[in-house]
Structures are given as structure tokens and as C-alpha cells.
Amino acid sequence: MSRPKLKIAILISGRGSNLQALIDQFGPQVANSPIEIVLVLSNRPDAFGLTRAERAGIPTVTVDHKAFADRAGFDGAMDAAIRKTGAELVVLAGFLRLLTDGFIAGWHDKLVNIHPALLPSFKGLHTHARALEAGVRFHGCTVHFVRPDMDTGPIIAQAVVPVRPDDTENSLGLRVLAAEHRLFPQALRLIAEGKVRVENERAIIDDAAFAGGILYNPLGA
Ligand code: GAR
């Protein structure tokens, strides 16, 4: 018997290109998807990602952070909206608000983020400009379980993107984004297949194809 689909809620704040990559791999139109996207939640009513989800026939909700006096109230409202759907995993796909420790604790090892840098380097914002400024030869992106300190937690997968001498913030950012669109679905598929576990704060992949962990250098990067 095949395993039931993993129900995921995806949180966004903006254009939702990573969300689109997940819809393309796991959306309602995909036969034999190991994942069901049960909710797309945005903290901004004008996020284009909401339109992408609606077009795909995926339920959406906006929880506007501006409507709440504090972060605990905002996170509590998001948590309630997510739990109502029966989601088993929360996926941060360009969700640009910091979450409270309480929210994070409630989704321990069930909360995944994508970050546009090779963590633990370049936590926070403006990662591509900072990578260029630092003169690193390799940059990339990371999928990780979320812990309370910003951009920390067990690393599930990373993709490496070489920095070219003539790169600008924009050109480098576009290549990293293309890598994100490949890496994120791959990491979530492994989770849905029950092949990712956390031991001593390290993510272990139980799949012979990724015995050394997922680290890849996307073709053409
Ligand atoms: C992505 O590059 C994602 O890695 C980043 O925001 C972008 C969202 O783009 N996330 C963070 O910086 C989180 N700290 P998208 O809306 O097109 O997916």
C-alpha cells in the first residue's frame, strides 16, 4: 500500500516563485504526488503567490501581521489557521517575518525553511550582495529545519552556485533562485517519503542516493 500524502501548509510573503516550483511538482494537477498542499498562507494580502495558489485551486488565507498588536497574537492566528487544515508540515517559502519561539516549538522538526545562502554563512537579508562583498567563490541556498535563532537548524539540503567574476547582485540572485526551485521540491519529496530524520541536531537522509547528504551543484550554475 502506498503511503498517504504528506499534508503541507506553505507560508509566503511575496511573489511566490518557490511556491510555484512546489505547485509544479506537488499541486492538485500532479498525478502520484507524495504531497498535498492543503493551504497557502500569506501575511500580506497583495502577495502574488496567493494568485498562483488560487490559479492552481489550492486554498489560501491571509493573516495580516499588521492586524495584530504583537507577534504572539499573529503567530497564534497563523497556527490556528494551519492546524485547522490538518497540515503535518509547515513550509516557509519566502516568508519574511520572524516567528516566535512558541510557534517554532509547536512545529519542532515539522517546520522547514529555504534560505538564499549556504548557511551558516550569510544569515538574514541581502545575502547575494553580502556574498559578493565578501568575495566568496561559492554561494548557494539551504533547506533546513527551523530553530529559534534566525536561520539556524539542521541542514537538510544545500545547492552550490559558483560566483562569477562579473556577477552582480541580480545575476547571482537569479542563479541561486533557479537552484532553490530545484532543491526545495527535492528536499520536501525526501521528507514526504519519510527519508529525513533529525539526530543530535543533524538531519540524516535515509536514502542510498544521498548517502553523503544532499549537496548538489545545479547543472549550468
Ligand atoms: C527566496 O529567495 C527565498 O530563499 C528567500 O526569499 C525569496 C522568496 O522568493 N527567503 C528568505 O530570504 C528567508 N529569510 P519567492 O517568493 O519568489 O519564492
Side-chain angles (χ1 to χ4, degrees):
M1 221 179 74
S2 66
R3 146 193 297 275
K5 288 180 197 280
L6 180 74
K7 295 183 159 92
I8 71 169
I10 302 177
L11 275 49
I12 60 164
S13 295
R15 68 187 162 182
S17 72
N18 274 288
L19 166 67
Q20 188 65 56
L22 298 177
I23 290 172
D24 292 346
Q25 295 255 343
F26 306 123
Q29 81 292 352
V30 177
N32 301 320
S33 165
I35 286 175
E36 180 185 355
I37 306 170
V38 292
L39 181 70
V40 170
L41 183 154
S42 172
N43 65 300
R44 298 179 53 122
D46 59 348
F48 182 63
L50 289 170
T51 305
R52 297 181 192 268
E54 281 155 17
R55 280 182 191 157
I58 297 166
T60 63
V61 67
T62 298
V63 181
D64 189 341
H65 60 278
K66 291 191 192 125
F68 295 87
D70 58 19
R71 285 170 52 204
F74 169 58
D75 282 12
M78 285 199 300
D79 194 66
I82 295 165
R83 293 203 186 270
K84 239 178 23 193
T85 66
E88 302 158 279
L89 183 81
V90 177
V91 173
L92 306 179
F95 181 74
L96 301 180
R97 308 290 303 174
L98 286 178
L99 294 165
T100 53
D101 291 2
F103 182 96
I104 292 169
W107 291 97
H108 190 76
D109 292 346
K110 309 236 166 276
L111 177 58
V112 173
N113 179 47
I114 188 154
H115 182 73
L118 291 173
L119 291 173
S121 291
F122 309 119
K123 297 171 181 168
L125 297 174
H126 311 298
T127 56
H128 311 312
R130 286 160 56 214
L132 289 175
E133 170 74 21
V136 294
R137 270 32 176 183
F138 293 102
H139 187 40
C141 52
T142 303
V143 178
H144 65 101
F145 289 112
V146 174
R147 294 293 183 262
D149 286 338
M150 184 184 67
D151 298 327
T152 67
I155 290 171
I156 302 162
Q158 294 187 304
V160 174
V161 175
V163 179
R164 295 180 184 152
D166 57 351
D167 260 329
T168 61
E169 181 180 1
N170 187 50
S171 67
L172 181 58
L174 284 172
R175 293 208 310 290
V176 171
L177 193 64
E180 293 183 43
H181 296 163
R182 295 182 60 188
L183 189 70
F184 212 6
Q186 192 176 11
L188 293 184
R189 183 177 296 275
L190 285 170
I191 294 174
E193 291 171 349
K195 293 176 175 169
V196 182
R197 68 196 149 87
V198 178
E199 226 173 70
N200 298 324
E201 284 301 270
R202 297 217 182 158
I204 310 217
I205 315 286
D206 294 314
D207 184 318
F210 300 104
I214 307 183
L215 165 69
Y216 76 51
N217 181 354
L219 292 175

